[in-house]
Short mmCIF file of all heavy atoms in Angstrom, two decimals:
data_model
loop_
_atom_site.label_atom_id
_atom_site.label_comp_id
_atom_site.label_asym_id
_atom_site.label_seq_id
_atom_site.Cartn_x
_atom_site.Cartn_y
_atom_site.Cartn_z
N THR A 898 -2.07 5.20 3.10
CA THR A 898 -1.95 4.98 4.55
C THR A 898 -2.26 6.26 5.35
O THR A 898 -3.01 6.23 6.33
CB THR A 898 -0.52 4.45 4.91
OG1 THR A 898 -0.29 3.25 4.20
CG2 THR A 898 -0.40 4.20 6.41
N VAL A 899 -1.75 7.37 4.90
CA VAL A 899 -2.02 8.67 5.55
C VAL A 899 -3.51 9.03 5.44
O VAL A 899 -4.19 9.39 6.35
CB VAL A 899 -1.15 9.77 4.93
CG1 VAL A 899 -1.59 11.16 5.45
CG2 VAL A 899 0.29 9.50 5.29
N ALA A 900 -4.08 8.92 4.23
CA ALA A 900 -5.48 9.24 4.00
C ALA A 900 -6.43 8.37 4.81
O ALA A 900 -7.46 8.82 5.28
CB ALA A 900 -5.80 9.12 2.48
N GLU A 901 -6.05 7.12 4.98
CA GLU A 901 -6.93 6.17 5.67
C GLU A 901 -7.00 6.49 7.20
O GLU A 901 -7.86 5.99 7.87
CB GLU A 901 -6.46 4.76 5.50
CG GLU A 901 -6.74 4.20 4.11
CD GLU A 901 -6.32 2.80 3.89
OE1 GLU A 901 -5.68 2.24 4.76
OE2 GLU A 901 -6.72 2.25 2.79
N ARG A 902 -6.12 7.31 7.66
CA ARG A 902 -6.11 7.67 9.12
C ARG A 902 -7.03 8.90 9.40
O ARG A 902 -7.35 9.17 10.60
CB ARG A 902 -4.76 7.97 9.63
CG ARG A 902 -3.81 6.84 9.72
CD ARG A 902 -2.56 7.14 10.45
NE ARG A 902 -1.84 8.25 9.99
CZ ARG A 902 -0.66 8.21 9.26
NH1 ARG A 902 -0.09 7.04 9.10
NH2 ARG A 902 -0.06 9.30 8.87
N VAL A 903 -7.49 9.59 8.32
CA VAL A 903 -8.32 10.80 8.56
C VAL A 903 -9.69 10.36 9.11
O VAL A 903 -10.25 9.41 8.50
CB VAL A 903 -8.42 11.59 7.28
CG1 VAL A 903 -9.40 12.74 7.44
CG2 VAL A 903 -7.02 12.11 6.81
N THR A 904 -10.18 11.03 10.08
CA THR A 904 -11.48 10.69 10.68
C THR A 904 -12.58 11.66 10.18
O THR A 904 -12.32 12.74 9.73
CB THR A 904 -11.43 10.80 12.22
OG1 THR A 904 -10.95 12.05 12.67
CG2 THR A 904 -10.41 9.73 12.77
N ASP A 905 -13.80 11.17 10.37
CA ASP A 905 -14.96 11.96 10.00
C ASP A 905 -15.18 13.05 11.07
O ASP A 905 -15.09 12.81 12.27
CB ASP A 905 -16.19 11.03 9.95
CG ASP A 905 -17.47 11.85 9.63
OD1 ASP A 905 -17.60 12.19 8.43
OD2 ASP A 905 -18.23 12.05 10.51
N PRO A 906 -15.40 14.29 10.68
CA PRO A 906 -15.53 15.36 11.67
C PRO A 906 -16.78 15.28 12.51
O PRO A 906 -16.81 15.73 13.65
CB PRO A 906 -15.54 16.68 10.84
CG PRO A 906 -15.90 16.24 9.46
CD PRO A 906 -15.44 14.81 9.30
N LEU A 908 -18.44 12.26 13.14
CA LEU A 908 -18.42 10.89 13.77
C LEU A 908 -16.94 10.54 13.93
O LEU A 908 -16.39 9.69 13.24
CB LEU A 908 -19.11 9.85 12.93
CG LEU A 908 -20.57 10.10 12.69
CD1 LEU A 908 -21.13 9.16 11.58
CD2 LEU A 908 -21.38 9.85 13.98
N PRO A 909 -16.20 11.23 14.90
CA PRO A 909 -14.73 11.06 14.94
C PRO A 909 -14.25 9.69 15.38
O PRO A 909 -13.07 9.44 15.31
CB PRO A 909 -14.39 12.14 16.02
CG PRO A 909 -15.59 12.45 16.76
CD PRO A 909 -16.75 12.16 15.85
N MET A 910 -15.13 8.81 15.75
CA MET A 910 -14.78 7.45 16.02
C MET A 910 -14.60 6.62 14.76
O MET A 910 -14.13 5.46 14.77
CB MET A 910 -15.81 6.75 16.95
CG MET A 910 -17.10 6.34 16.37
SD MET A 910 -18.24 7.69 15.94
CE MET A 910 -18.50 8.49 17.51
N LEU A 911 -14.96 7.22 13.65
CA LEU A 911 -14.85 6.55 12.31
C LEU A 911 -13.81 7.25 11.41
O LEU A 911 -13.69 8.47 11.35
CB LEU A 911 -16.15 6.64 11.56
CG LEU A 911 -17.38 5.98 12.11
CD1 LEU A 911 -18.56 6.13 11.21
CD2 LEU A 911 -17.17 4.54 12.45
N THR A 912 -13.01 6.43 10.71
CA THR A 912 -12.13 7.00 9.71
C THR A 912 -12.97 7.17 8.49
O THR A 912 -14.07 6.64 8.39
CB THR A 912 -10.94 6.08 9.41
OG1 THR A 912 -11.49 4.86 8.83
CG2 THR A 912 -10.10 5.77 10.68
N LEU A 913 -12.47 7.88 7.49
CA LEU A 913 -13.20 7.99 6.21
C LEU A 913 -13.31 6.65 5.52
O LEU A 913 -14.28 6.43 4.80
CB LEU A 913 -12.47 9.03 5.34
CG LEU A 913 -12.43 10.45 5.92
CD1 LEU A 913 -11.81 11.42 4.86
CD2 LEU A 913 -13.75 10.97 6.35
N VAL A 914 -12.39 5.72 5.81
CA VAL A 914 -12.52 4.37 5.27
C VAL A 914 -13.69 3.62 5.99
O VAL A 914 -14.49 3.03 5.35
CB VAL A 914 -11.16 3.62 5.46
CG1 VAL A 914 -11.37 2.12 5.12
CG2 VAL A 914 -10.09 4.17 4.63
N ASP A 915 -13.72 3.72 7.29
CA ASP A 915 -14.83 3.10 8.09
C ASP A 915 -16.15 3.57 7.59
O ASP A 915 -17.14 2.81 7.46
CB ASP A 915 -14.68 3.39 9.57
CG ASP A 915 -13.51 2.77 10.20
OD1 ASP A 915 -13.08 1.75 9.85
OD2 ASP A 915 -13.03 3.39 11.24
N LEU A 916 -16.24 4.89 7.28
CA LEU A 916 -17.48 5.45 6.86
C LEU A 916 -17.84 5.14 5.43
O LEU A 916 -19.01 5.18 4.97
CB LEU A 916 -17.49 6.99 7.02
CG LEU A 916 -18.73 7.74 6.83
CD1 LEU A 916 -19.87 7.27 7.69
CD2 LEU A 916 -18.50 9.28 7.07
N GLY A 917 -16.78 4.74 4.66
CA GLY A 917 -16.98 4.33 3.27
C GLY A 917 -17.01 5.52 2.31
O GLY A 917 -17.42 5.32 1.13
N VAL A 918 -16.47 6.66 2.73
CA VAL A 918 -16.45 7.88 1.79
C VAL A 918 -15.13 7.99 1.07
O VAL A 918 -15.08 8.64 0.06
CB VAL A 918 -16.81 9.15 2.53
CG1 VAL A 918 -18.21 9.10 3.16
CG2 VAL A 918 -15.82 9.55 3.60
N LEU A 919 -14.02 7.37 1.59
CA LEU A 919 -12.81 7.41 0.93
C LEU A 919 -12.79 6.42 -0.19
O LEU A 919 -12.83 5.21 -0.01
CB LEU A 919 -11.63 7.10 1.84
CG LEU A 919 -10.22 7.23 1.28
CD1 LEU A 919 -9.89 8.66 0.88
CD2 LEU A 919 -9.16 6.69 2.25
N MET A 947 -13.68 17.44 5.67
CA MET A 947 -12.95 16.20 5.25
C MET A 947 -11.89 16.56 4.24
O MET A 947 -10.75 16.06 4.31
CB MET A 947 -13.99 15.23 4.55
CG MET A 947 -14.89 14.58 5.51
SD MET A 947 -15.96 13.46 4.53
CE MET A 947 -17.38 13.26 5.67
N LEU A 951 -7.90 16.02 4.85
CA LEU A 951 -7.09 15.20 3.88
C LEU A 951 -5.88 16.01 3.38
O LEU A 951 -4.77 15.51 3.34
CB LEU A 951 -7.97 14.66 2.74
CG LEU A 951 -8.90 13.51 3.10
CD1 LEU A 951 -9.98 13.37 2.07
CD2 LEU A 951 -8.06 12.24 3.23
N TRP A 973 -23.26 7.26 -2.41
CA TRP A 973 -22.95 6.64 -1.18
C TRP A 973 -24.19 6.00 -0.54
O TRP A 973 -25.29 6.51 -0.72
CB TRP A 973 -22.32 7.67 -0.15
CG TRP A 973 -21.93 7.16 1.10
CD1 TRP A 973 -20.70 6.56 1.46
CD2 TRP A 973 -22.68 7.07 2.36
NE1 TRP A 973 -20.72 6.16 2.74
CE2 TRP A 973 -21.91 6.47 3.33
CE3 TRP A 973 -23.95 7.46 2.66
CZ2 TRP A 973 -22.34 6.24 4.60
CZ3 TRP A 973 -24.42 7.28 3.98
CH2 TRP A 973 -23.62 6.70 4.91
N TRP A 977 -22.08 0.98 2.81
CA TRP A 977 -20.60 1.13 2.70
C TRP A 977 -19.84 1.32 3.97
O TRP A 977 -18.64 1.25 4.02
CB TRP A 977 -20.30 2.35 1.77
CG TRP A 977 -20.68 2.16 0.32
CD1 TRP A 977 -21.35 1.13 -0.24
CD2 TRP A 977 -20.43 3.12 -0.70
NE1 TRP A 977 -21.56 1.39 -1.58
CE2 TRP A 977 -20.94 2.61 -1.93
CE3 TRP A 977 -19.82 4.35 -0.74
CZ2 TRP A 977 -20.89 3.29 -3.14
CZ3 TRP A 977 -19.70 5.02 -1.96
CH2 TRP A 977 -20.27 4.47 -3.14
N ILE A 978 -20.55 1.45 5.08
CA ILE A 978 -19.93 1.53 6.38
C ILE A 978 -19.35 0.16 6.68
O ILE A 978 -20.12 -0.84 6.62
CB ILE A 978 -20.81 2.02 7.50
CG1 ILE A 978 -21.41 3.41 7.15
CG2 ILE A 978 -20.21 1.96 8.88
CD1 ILE A 978 -22.46 3.88 8.14
N THR A 979 -18.11 0.06 7.05
CA THR A 979 -17.43 -1.18 7.28
C THR A 979 -17.95 -1.84 8.55
O THR A 979 -18.54 -1.15 9.42
CB THR A 979 -15.90 -1.04 7.37
OG1 THR A 979 -15.65 -0.27 8.58
CG2 THR A 979 -15.31 -0.35 6.15
N GLN A 981 -16.08 -2.77 10.97
CA GLN A 981 -15.37 -2.07 12.01
C GLN A 981 -15.97 -0.75 12.37
O GLN A 981 -16.05 -0.34 13.51
CB GLN A 981 -13.87 -1.85 11.58
CG GLN A 981 -13.13 -3.17 11.38
CD GLN A 981 -13.25 -3.70 9.94
OE1 GLN A 981 -14.03 -3.19 9.13
NE2 GLN A 981 -12.56 -4.70 9.64
N GLY A 982 -16.50 -0.05 11.32
CA GLY A 982 -17.13 1.20 11.53
C GLY A 982 -18.45 1.06 12.32
O GLY A 982 -18.78 1.82 13.19
N ALA A 985 -17.60 0.44 15.89
CA ALA A 985 -17.13 1.66 16.53
C ALA A 985 -18.29 2.57 16.88
O ALA A 985 -18.32 3.24 17.91
CB ALA A 985 -16.13 2.40 15.62
N LEU A 986 -19.31 2.62 15.98
CA LEU A 986 -20.50 3.44 16.26
C LEU A 986 -21.17 2.91 17.54
O LEU A 986 -21.49 3.65 18.46
CB LEU A 986 -21.47 3.42 15.09
CG LEU A 986 -21.14 4.25 13.88
CD1 LEU A 986 -22.01 3.92 12.67
CD2 LEU A 986 -21.20 5.71 14.18
#
Side-chain angles (χ1 to χ4, degrees):
T898 301
V899 170
E901 287 182 353
R902 290 193 304 252
V903 175
T904 58
D905 179 76
L908 298 166
M910 74 290 301
L911 299 182
T912 66
L913 299 184
V914 171
D915 292 331
L916 189 56
V918 301
L919 182 65
M947 288 180 200
L951 284 162
W973 182 86
W977 291 4
I978 299 174
T979 66
Q981 297 85 353
L986 286 168

